[in-house]
Amino acid sequence: QVQLVESGGGLVQAGGSLRLSCTTSGLTFSSNNMAWFRRAPGKERDFVASINWAFANTYYGDSVKGRFTISRDNAKNTVYLQMNSLKPEDTAVYYCAAGRYGTLYERDFAYWGQGTQVTVSS
C-alpha cells in the first residue's frame, strides 16, 4: 500500500517560517512527481508547489512564489515544503501528493496524504 505522511505543521505568527515534510512508502519515489496542495477553511483544495521526478524542476502557485520552496530527497523518499514569510491567508490543511504524470493539477496525483494543519496568526 502506498502511504504518504505529512508532518511539520503547527501554529506560527505572520512572517514566520515552517518546514513541512512528507515521507512516503510503497512507491518508487524517484519516479514520481511530488506536490503540495492546500485547503483553506470553506475553500477548494488549491495547488501550492510541485517538483518533477526527472529533473527536479519546480512549480509554484502564484500566491506562494518567492516565499515557499519545494525540494525532494530521493535517498529518504521525502519531499519538503519550506514556507517563509507566512501570511494568515496561508492557513490551511496542507496535503502531500504523488503521481507519475503532471505537475499542476490535482487529478494528476494518484496518492495523497491525510494532511497537516498550518495556522498563521496575525
Side-chain angles (χ1 to χ4, degrees), residues 33-99:
N33 302 325
M34 301 298 300
W36 291 93
F37 291 78
R38 67 186 182 185
R39 185 167 62 192
K43 299 184 66 177
E44 300 272 340
R45 188 155 55 187
D46 293 326
F47 173 76
V48 176
S50 64
I51 184 165
N52 173 265
W53 71 268
F55 304 107
N57 296 325
T58 57
Y59 307 89
Y60 297 94
D62 289 341
S63 64
V64 306
K65 287 181 179 178
R67 299 189 298 121
F68 291 10
T69 303
I70 188 171
S71 62
R72 65 191 298 162
D73 187 337
N74 289 348
K76 296 182 179 180
N77 294 340
T78 300
V79 63
Y80 304 94
L81 184 68
Q82 178 66 46
M83 304 185 295
N84 299 326
S85 301
L86 283 162
K87 304 174 181 179
E89 51 263 45
D90 295 318
T91 296
V93 176
Y94 284 71
Y95 298 89
C96 178

Side-chain angles (χ1 to χ4, degrees), residues 1-44:
Q1 181 180 350
V2 173
Q3 290 187 316
L4 286 71
V5 181
E6 302 96 337
S7 62
L11 176 65
V12 64
Q13 292 183 331
S17 299
L18 285 173
R19 190 178 77 158
L20 306 183
S21 299
C22 173
T23 59
T24 68
S25 62
L27 57 77
T28 305
F29 180 82
S30 61
S31 297
N32 274 263
N33 302 325
M34 301 298 300
W36 291 93
F37 291 78
R38 67 186 182 185
R39 185 167 62 192
K43 299 184 66 177
E44 300 272 340

